[in-house]
């Protein structure tokens, strides 16, 4: 990343590839178009920032990437899913608002029709592209949030990474196929390769992201218990390892673990906290639950 600066008090970083694209566009004589795209992307990300700050999230920075941007926050799966969905969709919402505003200004004769058409098309392109189910695009984050309602979080991040990888491959392949029809789409190829690398790196670091989720789990448990919640049971055999059981934890559920013996009799019931403490102890992580608590 090149040296950041802070417009409107927001730490803004430019990815090197984004900087190269901007520079090449200016050198090619597309300064107005480039400035327009920059403003659209910035307002898109500003929508995320304002929504996040409204919920009290800690926004670290905004990164401008080849495909648009990404808001980096401190919160990692320890906030309500509905808040995450609102923050995620606040970006594409800005594109919709800008399209409506451009149509209104054009009909009033306040802006040139040619520029208005370009502005509307650019907003549609950026907004719709960001809704693709690929991390870290808005569509990928929305997919991950929705999956959290039904799947254990370890499986959520694994499934979302795999889906993102598949769509990144399709996007990259589509840009290469164009070489036989209308020429290689270099910008799409660069974006596709970038997303492919990003999601492969994310998949390789799955255990790290899951550990961050567990480290922040105490905040989620306090929130759930403070508001009152129904416990989600997990029924396991006593021979199951602590690691296997922890991977069954769901993001928005408080779990009680029912441990059974060979005859199907419930021997004891555990809340989450002792299991988390055992997981954070590397010497106990691979132990069977019956060895630790019976």
């Amino acid at each position: 990343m090149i040296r950041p600066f802070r417009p409107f008090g927001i730490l803004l970083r430019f990815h090197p590839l984004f900087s190269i694209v901007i520079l090449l566009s200016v050198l090619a004589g597309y300064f107005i178009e480039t400035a327009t795209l920059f403003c659209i992307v910035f307002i898109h990300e500003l929508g995320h920032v304002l929504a996040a700050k409204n919920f009290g999230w800690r926004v670290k920075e905004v990164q401008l990437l080849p495909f648009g941007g990404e808001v980096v926050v401190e919160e990692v799966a320890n906030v309500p899913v509905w808040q995450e969905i609102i923050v995620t969709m606040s970006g594409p919402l800005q594109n919709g608002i800008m399209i409506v505003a451009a149509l209104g200004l054009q009909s009033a004769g306040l802006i040139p029709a040619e520029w208005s058409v370009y502005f509307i098309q650019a907003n549609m392109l950026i907004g719709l592209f960001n809704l693709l189910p690929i991390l870290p695009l808005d569509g990928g984050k929305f997919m991950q949030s929705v999956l959290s309602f039904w799947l254990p979080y370890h499986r959520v991040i694994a499934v979302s990474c795999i889906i993102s990888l598949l769509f990144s491959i399709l996007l990259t392949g589509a840009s290469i196929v164009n070489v036989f029809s209308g020429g290689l789409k270099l910008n799409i190829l660069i974006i596709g390769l970038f997303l492919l690398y990003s999601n492969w790196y994310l998949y390789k670091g799955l255990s790290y992201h899951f550990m961050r989720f567990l480290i922040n789990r105490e905040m989620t448990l306090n929130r759930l218990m403070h508001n009152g919640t129904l416990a989600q049971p997990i029924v396991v055999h006593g021979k199951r390892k602590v690691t296997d059981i922890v991977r069954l934890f769901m993001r928005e559920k408080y779990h009680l673990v029912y441990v059974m013996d060979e005859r199907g009799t419930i021997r004891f019931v555990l809340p989450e906290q002792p299991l988390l403490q055992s997981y954070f102890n590397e010497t106990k992580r691979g132990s069977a639950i019956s060895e630790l608590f019976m």
Side-chain angles (χ1 to χ4, degrees):
M1 298 287 182
I2 64 176
R3 187 177 180 180
F5 64 100
R6 297 174 179 268
F8 307 108
I10 301 171
L11 179 60
L12 192 65
R13 293 181 185 270
F14 292 84
H15 189 277
L17 287 178
F18 182 87
S19 304
I20 292 172
V21 171
I22 293 292
L23 180 60
L24 291 176
S25 299
V26 172
L27 292 176
Y30 294 101
F31 175 77
I32 299 298
E33 291 83 353
T34 301
T36 301
L37 286 175
F38 174 82
C39 291
I40 291 173
V41 170
F42 182 74
I43 294 173
H44 175 107
E45 297 306 319
L46 190 61
H48 294 306
V49 171
L50 294 177
K53 284 185 172 294
N54 181 63
F55 291 125
W57 292 17
R58 296 159 294 174
V59 179
K60 294 175 62 177
E61 63 185 31
V62 175
Q63 298 178 357
L64 293 184
L65 305 167
F67 54 81
E70 180 181 10
V71 175
V72 181
V73 297
E74 293 284 354
E75 284 68 21
V76 180
N78 62 334
V79 294
V81 175
W82 65 268
Q83 286 188 12
E84 193 172 78
I85 291 175
I86 291 175
V87 171
T88 297
M89 300 311 294
S90 293
L93 177 62
Q94 304 311 306
N95 296 116
I97 292 174
M98 284 188 281
I99 289 173
V100 173
L103 289 171
L105 291 173
Q106 180 185 350
S107 63
L110 297 177
I111 57 175
E114 183 178 352
W115 184 84
S116 175
V117 170
Y118 173 77
F119 185 78
I120 291 171
Q121 290 177 344
N123 267 287
M124 291 182 63
L125 178 63
I126 293 173
L128 293 175
F129 180 80
N130 269 277
L131 291 177
L132 290 175
I134 306 174
L135 292 168
L137 301 180
D138 297 333
K141 293 178 179 178
F142 178 80
M143 169 184 66
Q144 198 170 64
S145 298
V146 172
L147 287 175
S148 298
F149 287 116
W150 298 293
L151 297 177
Y153 192 70
H154 187 273
R155 195 174 301 172
V156 166
I157 53 181
V159 170
S160 58
C161 282
I162 292 173
I163 293 175
S164 297
L165 277 170
L166 291 175
F167 273 89
S168 298
I169 292 171
L170 289 174
L171 184 64
T172 305
S175 65
I176 295 175
V177 168
N178 274 322
V179 74
F180 300 105
S181 57
L184 181 64
K185 302 296 184 181
L186 186 59
N187 56 340
I188 299 178
L189 179 60
I190 292 174
I191 294 172
L193 290 174
F194 179 84
L195 291 173
L196 185 59
Y197 169 79
S198 297
N199 282 286
W200 175 249
Y201 183 80
L202 184 64
Y203 183 77
K204 296 292 287 184
L206 190 149
S207 58
Y208 165 75
H209 293 284
F210 184 62
M211 180 62 77
R212 288 189 66 189
F213 161 72
L214 294 178
I215 290 173
N216 289 294
R217 184 67 178 167
E218 191 66 31
M219 296 176 62
T220 300
L221 297 181
N222 290 336
R223 171 171 57 83
L224 291 174
M225 288 187 290
H226 180 266
N227 295 331
T229 184
L230 295 175
Q232 176 75 31
I234 296 177
V235 181
V236 298
H237 193 278
K239 293 182 179 180
R240 291 292 297 273
K241 296 179 179 180
V242 172
T243 298
D244 298 331
I245 300 171
V246 168
R247 288 182 176 181
L248 296 176
F249 287 177
M250 297 182 68
R251 178 172 165 180
E252 286 292 289
K253 299 292 184 181
Y254 182 87
H255 297 287
L256 292 175
V257 181
Y258 292 76
V259 183
M260 306 180 71
D261 59 19
E262 297 289 350
R263 294 175 294 179
T265 302
I266 297 175
R267 299 299 303 273
F268 57 92
V269 181
L270 283 174
E272 286 191 32
Q273 288 86 339
L275 283 167
L276 287 172
Q277 293 172 4
S278 298
Y279 184 85
F280 292 139
N281 187 333
E282 293 186 5
T283 62
K284 297 180 179 180
R285 189 176 300 171
S287 302
I289 189 170
S290 58
E291 297 175 4
L292 298 176
F293 301 100
M294 288 182 65

